[in-house]
Amino acid sequence: MAKVLHPAPRYATNEGVRDALCAALGSMVVDCIEEFGEIVITVKRESIEDALRLLRDEHAYQQLMEIAGADYPSRPERFEVVYMLLSLTKNHRVMLKVSTDEATPVPTVTTLWPVAGWLEREVFDMYGVMFDGNTDLRRILTDYGFEGHPFRKDFPLTGYTELRYSEEEKRVVYEPVELAQDFRSFDFTSPWEGADYVLPGDEKADAPPVDDPKVTEKPSDTGAGKKADEKAEEKVSAGAPAEEDTGIQQDAPETTEERPDREASKGDVHDTKGATKPEDKE
């Protein structure tokens, strides 16, 4: 079998890549870090199309592998849109991010990669992020008439409506969610990581310290020594029951050899012979 040679290296290193890319992107960069073995570059929202075009055309990141979303409700711009690029010739990946809110759209990158249309639709469906310039921004995963965006942190786990088939109407109907019991929030916090309540037995930890704690700083504090050995040799337990004289005389039954023979049985029977005396044994 012929050996196949490929121009891309088997393993790609990040050495020098972050500095080179950040210098090339210039004023478009907001933050540029390397963590967990990945290069993550945050760029200005309005510059995302120019930044991706520069990486594709001048730095050989040919493929857009994924567009993902993330929700951080505590931030002023709660949403992050993440673009993951792959260089086939370098066998290397890089990640770009932009931030936005519910009302501000992100420029589309369908002008660079047509596949971005489907990926942007997914982020719009799950998070509600708008993409300016996408001419087909429709839901792609949820059903027709779905309300809300399921991947937002404030979206209820049960949703707002439920879908079922109605035997009475002979069709699929939407109804408000009705739970058989109230939603319960279970505590999965590991006690080793620190729970926010008092665990059983931990109330003893609040006991006041002992005034005179017992320590074993000297050999004499341990109780070991010559006196302890002599005391251990003293016999303090009662004797065995067989060694005690209870005063009760119990006669043992006579041996079989001392018993008289029985009278011979009458009739057609065979009786057992008498016991053999010791002097009869040869």
Side-chain angles (χ1 to χ4, degrees), residues 21-245:
L21 296 182
C22 291
L25 294 174
S27 60
M28 293 184 285
V29 177
V30 176
D31 190 18
C32 187
I33 61 174
E34 179 178 347
E35 57 182 359
F36 306 111
E38 296 182 342
I39 296 176
V40 183
I41 305 174
T42 304
V43 300
K44 298 178 181 178
R45 179 176 55 251
E46 61 275 8
S47 303
I48 184 61
E49 183 180 1
D50 295 334
L52 293 177
R53 180 182 289 108
L54 179 67
L55 295 181
R56 184 194 67 177
D57 297 344
E58 299 185 15
H59 295 272
Y61 288 92
Q62 301 94 344
Q63 288 194 357
L64 173 65
M65 303 302 298
E66 178 66 283
I67 300 179
D71 184 17
Y72 303 91
S74 59
R75 298 182 183 178
E77 293 186 344
R78 62 182 292 184
F79 301 114
E80 278 189 354
V81 182
V82 185
Y83 301 82
M84 304 175 190
L85 304 182
L86 169 65
S87 172
L88 298 176
T89 53
K90 300 177 181 179
N91 191 18
H92 192 266
R93 296 174 185 266
V94 68
M95 187 183 305
L96 272 71
K97 291 183 179 180
V98 297
S99 299
T100 187
D101 53 25
E102 300 179 19
T104 307
V106 177
T108 184
V109 294
T110 53
T111 54
L112 304 177
W113 292 282
V115 70
W118 289 76
L119 303 176
E120 290 175 353
R121 285 178 60 183
E122 183 177 351
V123 176
F124 162 72
D125 193 2
M126 297 291 102
Y127 295 94
V129 176
M130 305 295 294
F131 290 90
D132 186 20
N134 190 319
T135 58
D136 189 21
L137 199 61
R138 296 174 296 156
R139 290 186 180 271
I140 193 172
L141 296 178
T142 55
D143 201 1
Y144 300 105
F146 189 89
E147 296 181 3
H149 303 280
F151 279 7
R152 289 187 178 184
K153 295 294 180 63
D154 51 7
F155 189 84
L157 297 179
T158 59
Y160 296 107
T161 58
E162 60 180 351
L163 181 148
R164 70 176 181 86
Y165 181 79
S166 174
E167 287 290 347
E168 298 177 357
E169 301 183 22
K170 301 299 181 182
R171 65 182 181 88
V172 175
V173 297
Y174 290 87
E175 294 178 342
V177 174
E178 294 182 2
L179 301 178
Q181 65 180 17
D182 294 336
F183 178 76
R184 294 180 295 173
S185 179
F186 295 94
D187 179 19
F188 295 103
T189 305
S190 171
W192 303 108
E193 297 175 358
D196 55 358
Y197 54 87
V198 179
L199 295 171
D202 282 1
E203 64 276 0
K204 301 176 183 178
D206 297 332
V210 180
D211 296 334
D212 188 15
K214 293 184 178 180
V215 296
T216 56
E217 296 178 352
K218 299 180 296 182
S220 58
D221 295 333
T222 63
K226 184 177 180 181
K227 293 182 179 180
D229 295 340
E230 294 176 352
K231 187 176 180 179
E233 293 176 357
E234 295 178 2
K235 185 176 181 181
V236 295
S237 59
E243 298 176 359
E244 298 180 1
D245 186 7

